[in-house]
Amino acid sequence: MMTPGKFIVIEGLEGAGKSSAVSAIKTVLNHRDIPFISTREPGGTPIAEALRDIVKQGMANEHVCDSTELLLMYAARAQLVETLIRPALANGTWVIGDRHDLSSLAYQGGGRELGMAKLKAIKQIAIGDFEPDLTLYLDIEPSLGLSRARQRGELDRIEQQDLNFFERTREVYLQQVAEKESIMLIDASQNMAQVAASITAILIQYVDNI
Ligand code: Z5A
């Protein structure tokens, strides 16, 4: 019987350095000849990418309600998990996810203050008990992350929230790290080479222990 692939997720606030983290993971998997695909959330399929555009940019003259934002995130996730992630894993292909469900717990549950009970109920409807095998959370002070993101270019609708929003978001990330062994924290205030080295070390250990 085919050994299922593993679902590895990168999480963190804006400017945490998720793009370079994804590259570090790809390098390890390539060295080990492990087949993989990579995805991002919200997005990753044509329907989910269309939802991403609405979530990130909104629409002129119409405010995106918090509950709408939440449901769009889960609609995009349901589509991605069902049509891409589950089939790939079943086929023995690993999946690298740039964000997943933990982002909703942190941003919508914490940042938007919608609360964990609502989040857990919607998750059940959208993707059931589906969970990543390993999550690498890049932890960064919101002010440092946002200053990096600003240098990169214009901020989108969610990135324009105030600092308190991101403090609440980070708090949920840290709570979840404390509760779940499958989430590893990496200090993302280090320089890029140090962050990449930490990720590489964790992933090599993970692959070697399977
Ligand atoms: N969102 C949500 O609310 N709920 C959900 O369920 C999901 C998502 C799934 C997705 O936008 C938005 O949706 C996101 C959360 C929300 N919005 N906010 N706010 P996205 O995918 O476009 O954005 P992102 O995921 O936040 O960012 P990103 O561009 O993909 O990656 P990043 O982690 O921000 O970082 P980066 O592009 O790798 O690095 C940013 C800059 O910092 C860049 O110029 C780097 O060169 C620099 N950098 C990175 N690392 C370092 C270090 N270590 N030192 C110095 N400089 C660095």
Side-chain angles (χ1 to χ4, degrees), residues 35-91:
F36 65 87
I37 57 168
S38 57
T39 67
R40 64 173 182 182
E41 292 194 32
T45 80
I47 289 175
E49 286 289 325
L51 296 172
R52 175 187 176 89
D53 289 343
I54 300 174
V55 146
K56 279 183 69 87
Q57 306 309 334
M59 289 211 176
N61 304 323
E62 186 174 356
H63 166 70
V64 180
C65 304
D66 291 353
S67 299
T68 304
E69 180 181 279
L70 173 69
L71 291 166
L72 289 174
M73 293 295 179
Y74 276 98
R77 182 162 305 129
Q79 187 68 20
L80 177 68
V81 168
E82 221 37 57
T83 66
L84 201 74
I85 300 181
R86 277 192 204 274
L89 296 176
N91 197 26

Side-chain angles (χ1 to χ4, degrees), residues 36-173:
F36 65 87
I37 57 168
S38 57
T39 67
R40 64 173 182 182
E41 292 194 32
T45 80
I47 289 175
E49 286 289 325
L51 296 172
R52 175 187 176 89
D53 289 343
I54 300 174
V55 146
K56 279 183 69 87
Q57 306 309 334
M59 289 211 176
N61 304 323
E62 186 174 356
H63 166 70
V64 180
C65 304
D66 291 353
S67 299
T68 304
E69 180 181 279
L70 173 69
L71 291 166
L72 289 174
M73 293 295 179
Y74 276 98
R77 182 162 305 129
Q79 187 68 20
L80 177 68
V81 168
E82 221 37 57
T83 66
L84 201 74
I85 300 181
R86 277 192 204 274
L89 296 176
N91 197 26
T93 300
W94 288 39
V95 179
I96 306 171
D98 182 342
R99 298 191 179 281
H100 184 61
D101 196 58
L102 184 53
S103 283
S104 294
L105 290 187
Y107 283 81
Q108 281 66 50
R112 298 282 188 224
E113 300 182 280
L114 295 177
M116 292 302 121
K118 200 181 248 185
L119 267 287
K120 283 180 183 161
I122 293 174
K123 181 198 168 183
Q124 269 306 312
I125 294 168
I127 57 169
D129 293 328
F130 183 76
E131 290 273 340
D133 294 286
L134 174 70
T135 298
L136 303 173
Y137 163 60
L138 303 179
D139 183 52
I140 195 160
E141 287 277 348
S143 51
L144 176 56
L146 285 171
S147 75
R148 285 184 190 165
R150 256 184 226 109
Q151 280 168 16
R152 185 187 50 194
E154 244 175 62
L155 300 182
D156 68 30
R157 196 182 59 81
I158 299 177
E159 287 165 346
Q160 289 167 14
Q161 297 303 304
D162 64 22
L163 213 51
N164 290 333
F165 172 92
F166 294 104
E167 298 286 3
R168 290 194 297 274
T169 303
R170 184 186 188 205
E171 217 169 278
V172 174
Y173 271 130

